[in-house]
Amino acid sequence: MKKVYKPYWEWEDYINGMWRKVDKEQENEMLQQAIIFTGNHIEYGNAMREVSNVWVNTMLNSLTNTSINRRAFVGHCAVQFKLNIPEYITRMAWKHLSNKQRALADIEAEKTIKQFLKKHDQQNKPIHKGM
């Protein structure tokens, strides 16, 4: 699949503050929320699929880029989308999960990425008419 480029000002993650910093008090509260949320692979996976359908520009730009950690990226987006928690806090939360919780979250992320790319690929296939 070809890499799709979108300008950053069209990225929904950027528009919604995924890359912002918060004060220490908020950070501690958000960290606890993120640990609980990311530790529940069902809820987390549902949020991944939901954000992949809503943040189309972000997903096209990032999920067609095979040089990034797409599983982590879609997870960071899911937490920002559902809880308004910036990505650096989600990275901190990941360190608090068990290996099993991480593995289950990674499975959900892989499913989401495959579904998104399949849908994108089908929508962009050229239509060939018979002669």
Side-chain angles (χ1 to χ4, degrees):
M1 173 165 297
K2 283 181 105 175
K3 167 74 176 99
V4 176
Y5 293 94
K6 296 284 185 177
Y8 77 89
W9 57 85
E10 292 181 6
W11 301 348
E12 296 88 352
D13 61 331
Y14 172 76
I15 293 166
N16 287 284
M18 191 165 98
W19 308 103
R20 75 189 189 288
K21 295 286 185 195
V22 297
D23 64 47
K24 282 292 181 192
E25 186 177 311
Q26 281 183 300
E27 192 175 278
N28 291 332
E29 290 174 24
M30 289 178 170
L31 177 58
Q32 295 311 309
Q33 291 174 327
I35 291 168
I36 292 166
F37 184 72
T38 57
N40 179 338
H41 72 281
I42 302 296
E43 190 176 346
Y44 192 26
N46 288 336
M48 290 178 200
R49 284 179 284 286
E50 187 177 355
V51 74
S52 73
N53 288 319
V54 176
W55 286 5
V56 177
N57 291 325
T58 292
M59 295 302 154
L60 282 171
N61 190 80
S62 296
L63 297 186
T64 60
N65 182 354
T66 58
S67 67
I68 69 165
N69 183 341
R70 297 182 296 176
R71 289 183 301 200
F73 184 79
V74 76
H76 298 164
C77 288
V79 177
Q80 172 60 33
F81 180 73
K82 288 307 250 190
L83 302 178
N84 196 30
I85 294 176
E87 71 80 37
Y88 78 96
I89 296 174
T90 303
R91 280 188 285 116
M92 291 168 40
W94 189 253
K95 296 174 187 174
H96 293 272
L97 301 183
S98 69
N99 288 337
K100 182 177 180 178
Q101 287 173 310
R102 291 178 188 178
L104 291 170
D106 281 344
I107 290 167
E108 294 298 320
E110 281 297 326
K111 287 180 193 175
T112 300
I113 294 162
K114 287 177 184 175
Q115 287 174 359
F116 180 84
L117 293 176
K118 183 178 179 182
K119 180 180 174 183
H120 171 70
D121 190 44
Q122 288 173 345
Q123 289 174 345
N124 293 295
K125 282 191 177 183
I127 299 172
H128 299 285
K129 295 183 179 180
M131 299 189 107

